[in-house]
């Protein structure tokens, strides 16, 4: 499996890679590392952490507000009786079902944010002059990992299910940055 990752907070940044990156040419490897340093330069780890905290706060706040409302209690109560005190597990199950469409929207927003981070890291590598090498290196790594899924996925499918842009979208963006 071919992969590289960057983690960095403040002045400290790390780039990790797998053994399959040994198959890349030196310019392709430098382009991939430049992309990963782009993540560090633009503080993507910090942004991801803040987005995750925000997501957790929003979902927990929604659960709290859901539990405070009595409308859903009347669904499981007998007609003309006082609303029941619903056990947490049951209210959590109802909340989870009710949140499904909202979770889809949240996932799309999170994927869109991830796409923006990937594109800005790509731009960093392109600005250093490694655009074509980045395309070739990503093609070699991503095809070995995800094959057809990331290569030919539509942008709509990608926004729903992928945290990286599909190759066809990503490579056309990189080519447009190189002009």
């Amino acid at each position: 499996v071919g992969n590289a990752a960057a983690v960095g907070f403040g002045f400290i940044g790390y780039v990790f890679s797998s053994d399959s990156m040994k198959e890349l040419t030196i310019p392709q490897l430098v382009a991939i590392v430049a992309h990963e340093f782009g993540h560090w330069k633009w503080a993507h780890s910090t942004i991801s952490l803040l987005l995750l905290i925000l997501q957790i706060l929003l979902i927990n706040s929604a659960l709290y507000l859901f539990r405070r409302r009595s409308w859903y209690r009347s669904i499981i109560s007998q007609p003309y009786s006082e609303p029941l005190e619903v056990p947490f597990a049951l209210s959590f199950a109802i909340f989870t079902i009710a949140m499904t469409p909202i979770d889809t929207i949240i996932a799309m927003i999170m994927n869109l944010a991830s796409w923006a981070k990937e594109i800005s890291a790509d731009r960093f590598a392109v600005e250093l002059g490694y655009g074509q090498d980045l395309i070739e290196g990503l093609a070699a790594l991503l095809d070995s990992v995800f094959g057809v899924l990331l290569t030919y996925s539509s942008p709509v499918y990608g926004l729903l299910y992928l945290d990286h842009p599909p190759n066809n979208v990503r490579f056309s963006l990189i080519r447009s940055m190189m002009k």
Side-chain angles (χ1 to χ4, degrees), residues 22 24 30 37 62 77 86 88 103 107 125 147-148 160 163:
K22 292 177 185 176
L24 299 177
V30 170
F37 273 115
S77 297
V86 180
F88 178 79
D103 275 344
V148 173
L160 281 171
D163 62 357

Side-chain angles (χ1 to χ4, degrees), residues 18-33:
S18 66
D19 284 344
S20 63
M21 290 188 61
K22 292 177 185 176
E23 305 301 319
L24 299 177
T25 66
I26 297 297
Q28 290 171 348
L29 182 61
V30 170
I32 299 291
V33 171

Side-chain angles (χ1 to χ4, degrees), residues 77-88:
S77 297
Q78 295 293 325
Y80 310 108
S81 66
E82 288 293 317
L84 297 173
E85 182 58 36
V86 180
F88 178 79

Side-chain angles (χ1 to χ4, degrees), residues 114-136:
S114 179
W115 282 31
K117 291 182 285 187
E118 288 303 315
I119 292 165
S120 71
D122 289 345
R123 182 175 287 113
F124 182 75
V126 169
E127 289 172 355
L128 292 175
Y130 294 105
Q132 189 58 42
D133 296 316
L134 181 62
I135 289 172
E136 292 167 6

Side-chain angles (χ1 to χ4, degrees), residues 39-83:
H39 285 302
W40 175 73
K41 178 183 179 185
W42 298 113
H44 291 165
S45 296
T46 304
I47 292 168
S48 294
L49 180 62
L50 293 175
L51 285 173
L52 180 62
I53 290 169
L54 178 65
Q55 182 181 7
I56 290 168
L57 287 173
L58 288 173
I59 290 172
N60 283 329
S61 298
L63 177 60
Y64 173 78
L65 292 173
F66 185 82
R67 291 242 335 129
R68 302 282 297 159
R69 303 288 182 239
S70 62
W71 66 266
Y72 74 97
R73 294 179 192 161
S74 64
I75 295 171
I76 60 174
S77 297
Q78 295 293 325
Y80 310 108
S81 66
E82 288 293 317

